[in-house]
């Protein structure tokens, strides 16, 4: 038996920083370049073993989104950090709260590349490109200060993922007791201009048919938004990431349907739009061609966002909740037409009914999910047709943290996001949507999921390939190529992962299947045979502009 007392390491420094920020879990892949970090987290907190570093970051991201806290991703230097980069792009796009800690070769070799194993001299540049903050731990006694800087950047305004690379020797040499003192910078919030607030109030107070457009930047402003919407009788449109900041069963919430045909007349009638924390992304605005009310008041924490996509008559720079609270304070009363809220409700009902009709056999699945899952359940969705067509709008959410999807549109990330969410929210079942294509990107992560034992239903929509691209090729007269894939036997895959498995073929049995699957209270798989859905759903073609298809029929 080894009786030498265990010396503290940088891992204990990381654990102390995590504890200070209320973080109890990290996701990662162990490596010779992060051993002390993984060892301390495993000992003191919880370390979740993933299989690929891209999935490590997705899981940390899903954990952060689902809990409202910070997700920690621990990867290896070189290829490990490179593997993480694609998912860091997603975290950066969504401004997720992810602390990515990766290794680096020993500090003595950092300045002069000489072919050390795992060496990648441009690692910091790469991390910098995919993070809001990236730094190298410069010395053993500066580790905690660098971690704190990264954590402060994550929580900044608007914040986002941060990366720290940590030379292996300094991971062993760092000690909690030897750390240099550090300042934790306060996030600096811009001051909102008083005159602009008055202008905005004047416009809102004279609007007859107002709408709100809510983006992810309005997270944390749910109460103020709901109060304002009801005070004004305004319809609430949202981006995908702005969903459920106001719960979607609020009957003024039209939701992520702005580009639907039935909403166009409402937008044409509206005489004022107040947008809050949104990017007006291409796939939410028909590639920026959507007609929106000309009278536009825009709230954003980033001054550069004001008027960037749609011109704004008044821009209010600041934190969404704070600005909305001030608007509510000053707003005298509402001049909204008495019939307007009813008009909003009518459109809200119409877009839903039309989509339910169009999606055929998927309607049973969409309704079944809502009837079986508790309101608190996360539904983490990969980029598959059931997400893009109806999961991203028709499937109702009540809390923003439960609506998890890759904002940047990269396939293969949904499963690991769901793993992170199910680990972070053990009290309710998590559901993952994955296409047969998207699930195959990271089949190995099913083993990670099995290892957690988490309460997670993996719902695989199998159409034998890349359905969305197949539809796109057909709709644009392109050759149908590279989309009909070899498809694994998912039942055999589930068996290999010790996951109970159900197949849904044809109509009428989804709800019963989901109920059983949820009751298993562990990782399980339901495969939906998309070709057997009845009635067959209308085709989904994504709202993507294809220049080469111009002029072709
Ligand atoms: C990382 C990444 N690679 C490629 C793509 C292009 N892409 C978009 S959807 C898709 C097919 C997804 O297939 P599947 O998961 O089976 O869903 P389906 O469309 O069949 O419902 C592909 C390849 C992408 N979005 N992201
Ligand atoms: Mg498919």
């Amino acid at each position: 038996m080894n009786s030498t007392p265990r010396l503290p390491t940088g891992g204990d420094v990381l654990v102390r920083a995590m504890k200070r920020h209320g973080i109890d879990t990290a996701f990662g892949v162990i490596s010779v370049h992060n051993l002390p970090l993984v060892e301390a987290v495993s000992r003191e907190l919880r370390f979740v073993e993933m299989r690929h570093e891209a999935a490590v970051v997705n899981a940390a991201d899903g954990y952060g989104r689902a809990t409202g806290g910070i997700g920690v991703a621990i990867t290896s230097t070189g290829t490990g950090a490179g593997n993480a980069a694609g998912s860091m792009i997603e975290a950066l796009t969504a401004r997720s709260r992810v602390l990515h800690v990766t290794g680096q070769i020993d500090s003595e070799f950092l300045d002069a590349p000489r072919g050390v194993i795992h060496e990648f001299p441009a690692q910091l540049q790469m991390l910098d490109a995919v993070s809001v903050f990236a730094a190298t731990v410069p010395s053993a006694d500066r580790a905690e200060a660098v971690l704190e800087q990264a954590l402060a950047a994550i929580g900044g305004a608007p914040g986002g993922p941060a990366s720290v690379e940590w030379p292996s020797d300094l991971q062993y040499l760092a000690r909690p007791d030897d750390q240099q003192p550090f300042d934790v910078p306060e996030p600096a919030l811009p001051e909102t201009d008083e005159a602009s607030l008055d202008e905005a109030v004047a416009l809102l107070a004279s609007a007859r048919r107002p709408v709100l457009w809510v983006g992810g930047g309005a997270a944390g402003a749910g109460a103020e938004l709901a109060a304002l919407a009801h005070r004004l009788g305004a319809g609430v449109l949202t981006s995908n990431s702005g969903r459920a900041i106001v719960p979607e069963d609020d009957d003024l919430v039209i939701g992520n349907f702005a580009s639907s045909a039935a909403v166009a007349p409402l937008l044409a009638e509206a005489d004022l739009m107040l947008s809050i924390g949104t990017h007006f992304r291409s796939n939410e605005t028909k590639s920026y061609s959507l007609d929106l009310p000309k009278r536009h008041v825009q709230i954003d924490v980033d001054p550069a966002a004001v008027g960037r996509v749609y011109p704004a008559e008044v821009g209010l720079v600041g934190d969404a909740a704070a600005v909305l609270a001030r608007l509510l304070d000053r707003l005298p009363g509402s001049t909204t037409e008495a019939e307007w809220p009813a008009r909003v409700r009518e459109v809200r009902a119409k877009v839903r009914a039309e989509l339910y009709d169009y999606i055929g056999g998927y309607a049973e699945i969409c309704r079944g999910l809502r009837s079986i899952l508790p309101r608190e359940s996360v539904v983490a969705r990969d980029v598959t047709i059931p997400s893009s067509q109806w999961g991203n709008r028709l499937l109702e959410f009540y809390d923003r943290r439960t609506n998890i999807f890759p904002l940047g549109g990269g396939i293969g990330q949904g499963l690991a996001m769901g793993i992170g969410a199910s680990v972070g929210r053990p009290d309710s079942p998590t559901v993952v949507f994955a296409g047969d294509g998207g699930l195959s990107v990271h089949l190995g992560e099913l083993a990670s999921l099995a290892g957690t034992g988490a309460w997670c239903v993996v719902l695989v929509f199998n159409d034998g390939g890349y359905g969305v691209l197949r539809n796109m090729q057909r709709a644009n007269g392109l050759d149908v190529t590279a989309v009909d894939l070899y498809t694994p036997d998912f039942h055999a895959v589930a068996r290999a992962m010790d996951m109970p498995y159900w197949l849904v073929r044809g109509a009428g049995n989804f709800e019963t299947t989901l109920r059983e699957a949820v009751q298993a209270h562990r990782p399980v798989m339901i495969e939906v045979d998309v070709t057997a859905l009845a009635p067959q759903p209308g085709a989904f073609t994504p709202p993507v502009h294809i220049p080469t298809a111009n002029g072709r029929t």
Side-chain angles (χ1 to χ4, degrees):
M1 221 179 94
N2 184 354
S3 57
T4 326
R6 189 189 59 79
L7 283 175
T9 67
D12 298 284
V13 176
L14 174 64
V15 164
R16 185 162 75 182
M18 286 173 67
K19 283 185 175 164
R20 190 181 301 121
H21 291 266
I23 311 166
D24 59 8
T25 303
F27 301 84
V29 176
I30 194 166
S31 153
V32 73
H33 286 91
N34 61 26
L35 276 174
L37 308 182
V38 172
E39 182 276 324
V41 171
S42 304
R43 170 169 35 84
E44 301 291 331
L45 300 165
R46 178 171 190 191
F47 182 79
V48 178
E49 300 92 359
M50 303 294 291
R51 302 299 186 273
H52 188 284
E53 288 81 3
V56 167
V57 171
N58 289 143
D61 186 338
Y63 177 93
R65 295 191 206 193
T67 62
I70 293 174
V72 173
I74 302 180
T75 68
S76 178
T77 185
T79 301
N83 283 348
S87 299
M88 286 295 286
I89 292 174
E90 168 55 28
L92 184 63
T93 305
R95 299 278 178 173
S96 295
R97 289 172 297 271
V98 172
L99 173 65
H100 173 213
V101 185
T102 187
Q104 193 32 296
I105 56 173
D106 284 351
S107 53
E108 65 173 304
F109 301 131
L110 267 180
D111 291 338
R114 67 185 82 179
V116 175
I117 181 97
H118 285 231
E119 180 183 277
F120 172 33
Q123 181 166 286
L124 185 60
Q125 285 160 262
M126 177 190 72
L127 295 174
D128 190 52
V130 296
S131 312
V132 296
F133 170 93
T136 311
V137 172
S139 59
D141 62 354
R142 297 283 299 150
E144 196 160 20
V146 171
L147 289 171
E148 283 297 339
Q149 266 181 294
L151 286 156
I154 293 167
S163 295
V164 171
E165 56 167 15
W166 196 336
S168 319
D169 56 326
L170 304 183
Q171 293 177 29
Y172 287 95
L173 295 174
R175 306 256 180 282
D177 291 348
D178 295 346
Q179 293 302 300
Q180 296 269 338
F182 52 85
D183 290 329
V184 179
E186 281 289 312
L189 277 178
E191 267 301 304
T192 311
D193 178 57
E194 287 292 323
S196 305
L197 275 170
D198 288 338
E199 275 180 73
V201 168
L203 291 178
L204 287 171
S206 60
R208 309 277 295 150
R209 294 175 299 279
V211 291
L212 310 184
W213 182 298
V214 179
E224 292 80 1
L225 277 172
L228 187 64
H230 284 273
R231 179 97 70 88
L232 293 174
V236 181
L237 297 156
T238 71
S239 67
N240 201 1
S241 63
R243 295 184 65 193
I245 294 173
V246 181
E248 292 188 319
D249 53 352
D250 184 316
D251 65 4
L252 288 176
V253 174
I254 295 170
N256 184 25
F257 278 95
S259 57
S260 301
V263 176
L266 185 93
L267 283 170
E269 291 158 39
D271 65 351
L272 175 102
M273 174 171 75
L274 172 65
S275 72
I276 309 103
T278 191
H279 284 94
F280 295 111
R281 289 176 187 278
S282 63
N283 53 353
E284 283 147 4
T285 57
K286 296 187 172 173
S287 291
Y288 315 112
S289 70
L290 195 66
D291 277 328
L292 294 177
K294 296 282 170 289
R295 177 148 279 181
H296 175 202
V297 178
Q298 185 168 8
I299 302 176
D300 207 287
V301 77
D302 175 8
V306 175
R308 183 164 49 198
V309 182
Y310 283 89
E313 198 167 323
V314 180
L316 298 172
V317 177
D319 169 69
V323 174
L324 287 165
R326 292 172 76 181
L327 289 178
L328 278 164
D329 273 354
R330 292 180 194 203
L331 199 65
S334 145
T335 49
T336 301
E337 282 171 6
E339 310 75 44
W340 184 244
R343 176 86 180 99
V344 168
R345 291 183 190 111
E346 177 198 346
V347 171
R348 167 188 154 83
K350 185 164 189 238
V351 284
R352 283 165 171 71
E354 284 179 359
L355 188 50
Y356 265 125
D357 264 3
Y358 186 74
I359 62 176
Y362 280 133
E364 176 193 341
I365 298 179
C366 187
R367 291 201 166 96
L369 284 160
R370 266 298 144 236
S371 72
I372 300 295
L373 296 179
R375 288 170 73 95
E376 299 75 32
S377 274
V378 169
V379 182
R381 308 183 298 284
D382 208 271
V383 184
T384 173
I385 288 173
S387 302
S388 310
Q389 189 177 40
W390 51 271
N392 289 352
R393 58 200 99 243
L394 195 57
L395 178 66
E396 217 166 71
F397 287 95
Y398 313 104
D399 171 352
R400 177 169 192 256
R401 293 175 305 168
T402 63
N403 173 33
I404 296 184
F405 65 98
L407 183 58
I411 62 168
Q413 305 183 89
L415 172 61
M417 286 180 163
I419 294 174
S422 57
V423 166
R425 292 173 76 121
D427 297 333
S428 49
T430 290
V431 170
V432 168
F433 277 25
D436 53 305
L439 190 66
S440 297
V441 175
H442 282 305
L443 268 188
E445 299 309 328
L446 287 171
S448 307
L449 174 61
T452 64
W455 196 5
C456 185
V457 179
V458 179
L459 195 51
V460 190
F461 293 97
N462 186 358
D463 63 357
Y466 293 155
V468 77
L469 281 141
R470 201 187 275 139
N471 287 354
M472 206 189 300
Q473 289 168 337
R474 283 189 187 138
N476 291 281
L478 304 169
D479 292 343
V480 174
T481 181
V483 293
D484 297 320
L485 304 185
Y486 172 81
T487 304
D489 172 346
F490 289 109
H491 190 180
V493 171
R495 203 178 301 121
M497 303 293 170
D498 194 26
M499 289 168 72
Y501 165 94
W502 292 261
L503 175 66
V504 171
R505 287 198 98 248
N509 61 4
F510 180 74
E511 204 173 293
T512 322
T513 306
L514 181 63
R515 184 179 293 112
E516 277 179 40
V518 163
Q519 278 168 357
H521 211 295
R522 53 184 287 200
V524 299
M525 186 187 288
I526 300 175
E527 177 178 354
V528 175
D529 179 350
V530 169
T531 61
L533 285 171
Q536 265 297 292
F540 174 78
T541 313
V544 176
H545 179 59
I546 300 183
T548 54
N550 281 351
R552 295 171 62 166
T553 48

